[in-house]
Amino acid sequence: MLLKVGSKGEDVKAVQKVLGLPADGDFGPATEAAVKKWQAANGLTADGLVGKNTLAKMGVGADVKTPNNAPTVNASYSKDKIEAAVKSKGYKWFDGKDYLLNIVGVRNSATGKEVTNAFDDKITVSYQVNGQWVYKEWMATTDPGAKGVREFHNAAGVARLVPGQYINSHGLGLHQGKYEALKQYNPVKVYRDDNRDMTYDETKIQEGVFGINIHKAGADSVIVENWSEGCQVFKRAAEFEEFMDIARKAAAENGSSYTYTLIESDDI
């Protein structure tokens, strides 16, 4: 199967859903442009033609793996607590349809501005399956590690995400061209810290697309170091893959655009 400008039908609709476009089933210039952008972000030839490689990467025309939808056992928080905290900030909470993901990072407020170099934060996701809520959480870091703070690659300083809600900030893409993750496509705000004093500086803020991806560390990493220079990073690779199964299912159901929300543990 090859989809291109002029193609019509249900397969085109499925592709448009992955791209986050209105699913009208008509492959026009806007769809072609979105396909090229998506292909480039996913390490494919950006020719605007949707053939077997692009279809396979999108999960269109093939069965998408059913995620592990068992709730996290002995979780620190709950869907209700996260929802209440998100809504108390005036942020949007997604519901009413299966696999509309509420991806919420929780930064450990107890450590203040100290560079702990530890995976002492959480990444959570709340969503519905057959109308029933599922809540999951995993150990992660929402902060750059010690090596990232000392040896940052941006002249303005190391990045640290400013708490907030970033609508449609991420989509499926390759992290550093290596493996599929949630890649930043739209602007976020970050603090910039260039003094290397091992205390996070919150005086300078930049807004833009800086590669603040959601990705994984090692099999079970103990210290952050340069796993993060601002990215939101899972401590355990297997748990990240569990999260990505959910993200891919969500892409197949609702399109591959994700909102990321970062709050403080004191907000809960």
Side-chain angles (χ1 to χ4, degrees), residues 15 18-19 35 38 50 53-60 64 248 251-252:
V15 168
V18 171
L19 298 171
V35 167
W38 192 93
V50 182
N53 292 335
T54 300
L55 289 166
K57 194 76 171 178
M58 288 181 167
V60 175
V64 177
R248 294 184 190 104

Side-chain angles (χ1 to χ4, degrees), residues 91-217:
Y91 301 153
K92 188 171 182 178
W93 185 259
F94 300 95
D95 60 13
K97 188 177 180 182
D98 285 357
Y99 291 100
L100 284 178
L101 304 186
N102 295 276
I103 306 172
V104 181
V106 182
R107 178 172 286 156
N108 183 3
S109 302
T111 59
K113 298 179 183 178
E114 175 190 358
V115 178
T116 65
N117 208 29
F119 292 89
D120 50 8
D121 305 317
K122 301 279 189 179
I123 292 178
T124 76
V125 63
S126 304
Y127 59 99
Q128 292 170 287
V129 178
N130 296 323
Q132 300 299 309
W133 281 99
V134 177
Y135 172 77
K136 288 179 171 289
E137 67 176 39
W138 303 274
M139 295 303 300
T141 183
T142 65
D143 299 321
K147 190 172 182 180
V149 170
R150 293 192 303 266
E151 303 176 9
F152 50 84
H153 293 91
N154 187 302
V158 73
R160 183 173 181 244
L161 190 64
V162 176
Q165 183 170 70
Y166 301 101
I167 300 292
N168 297 330
S169 54
H170 289 74
L172 294 176
L174 296 182
H175 174 62
Q176 297 182 345
K178 297 176 182 177
Y179 61 86
E180 192 169 49
L182 294 196
K183 184 175 180 176
Q184 185 198 356
Y185 286 103
N186 288 310
V188 300
K189 292 181 179 179
V190 298
Y191 300 115
R192 286 291 182 186
D193 184 352
D194 63 356
N195 59 24
R196 300 181 173 88
D197 66 355
M198 305 310 290
T199 299
Y200 294 122
D201 187 345
E202 298 182 352
T203 58
K204 294 182 293 185
I205 293 178
Q206 284 187 341
E207 184 172 6
V209 178
F210 307 115
I212 307 298
N213 299 338
I214 302 174
H215 67 92
K216 63 183 176 180

